[in-house]
Amino acid sequence: MTTDIAAMRRDYAASGLSEADLPGDPMAQFERWFEDARRAEIFEPNAMTLATVGADGQPSARVVLLKGVDEQGLVFYTNLASRKSRELDANARAALVFWWGPLARQVRFEGAVERVAEAAAERYFASRPRGSQIGAWASAQSSVIASREVLEQAARRHEERFAEGAVPRPGFWGGFRLLPVRVEFWQGRADRLHDRLRYAREGGGAWRIERLAP
């Protein structure tokens, strides 16, 4: 590699983030920043890194897409036999990270994870493009396959299978909701003196806001 990675650096000149800026609920603050990212036309602003830990203690991370947010938490959908799902079944805790580079902003969530209700999964699956619905049937996510042709053949079989009507949701496809207990908002600042403000849920359900050293 010819690039000197250690020498790569960029100073952030964005405006700061203060305790006075924050509402009492982290989900309200997240929605503010998410709208900023959307208006800034950041590519896939709902892309988030999902980190899980399996029964063997090995962490793994991958990028998934946020598909719902409410006062309870953040929702994503996936194949329920995939590695991420198996790890969440073994250890129902996870972390999510959003990185919006042009805004020099990062948001981190940590908390427990629960399955989304079947009715919600049905509604979301029905809203997906038909090609994505077929893809859900065709892909045994995270399993080893011999070639791309195997995947394409499976897609063709399911296209023929459901040619006459709507594509039903597979029983092995559903969603998860992360229920946050810690949410950190990171705003890049000059000279690496970044702003890090964290919400931590207290015993009674209220949120405590604290500043972290960068």
Side-chain angles (χ1 to χ4, degrees):
M1 182 177 291
T2 58
T3 301
D4 183 357
I5 295 177
M8 295 175 65
R9 59 180 51 85
R10 181 171 180 172
D11 211 8
Y12 301 114
S15 59
L17 181 66
S18 73
E19 289 83 344
D21 296 328
L22 300 182
D25 188 332
M27 303 312 293
Q29 175 63 21
F30 175 73
E31 290 179 10
R32 288 179 183 177
W33 271 21
F34 187 87
E35 281 304 303
D36 288 346
R38 187 185 62 79
R39 285 194 295 268
E41 299 184 343
I42 291 173
F43 179 72
E44 300 278 35
N46 59 328
M48 55 190 185
T49 299
L50 166 68
T52 57
V53 177
D56 60 356
Q58 173 62 49
S60 62
R62 75 290 287 159
V63 175
V64 298
L65 295 180
L66 175 69
K67 289 299 178 181
V69 59
D70 56 28
E71 66 280 357
Q72 289 183 289
L74 300 98
V75 173
F76 61 92
Y77 293 90
T78 187
N79 185 307
L80 298 177
S82 65
R83 179 180 177 181
K84 70 177 82 64
S85 297
R86 296 195 305 270
E87 290 180 344
L88 290 172
D89 287 339
N91 181 3
R93 288 183 171 85
L96 294 169
V97 181
F98 292 83
W99 168 244
W100 297 313
L103 300 177
R105 287 176 176 176
Q106 174 182 257
V107 188
R108 299 170 58 193
F109 291 86
E110 298 175 15
V113 174
E114 65 180 15
R115 288 277 184 97
V116 168
E118 294 286 306
E122 289 283 355
R123 286 192 299 272
Y124 176 67
F125 189 83
S127 75
R128 302 181 85 202
R130 186 178 179 87
S132 296
Q133 294 174 335
I134 294 294
W137 278 97
S139 175
Q141 195 175 90
S142 300
S143 64
V144 176
I145 57 176
S147 66
R148 180 172 178 83
E149 181 60 25
V150 171
L151 186 63
E152 293 174 346
Q153 287 175 351
R156 287 194 290 271
R157 287 196 303 273
H158 289 294
E159 284 172 356
E160 294 171 1
R161 177 184 177 187
F162 301 119
E164 300 303 319
V167 180
R169 178 178 67 94
F172 54 78
W173 191 95
F176 291 93
R177 177 184 289 105
L178 184 136
L179 310 169
V181 295
R182 283 182 294 275
V183 186
E184 180 188 320
F185 294 87
W186 181 100
Q187 176 67 71
R189 299 291 299 276
D191 301 320
R192 293 301 187 263
L193 299 178
H194 311 305
D195 288 321
R196 294 178 63 189
L197 295 178
R198 181 175 66 186
Y199 290 80
R201 190 179 284 281
E202 299 184 307
W207 291 98
R208 180 180 70 254
I209 299 174
E210 48 201 7
R211 178 174 287 269
L212 304 179

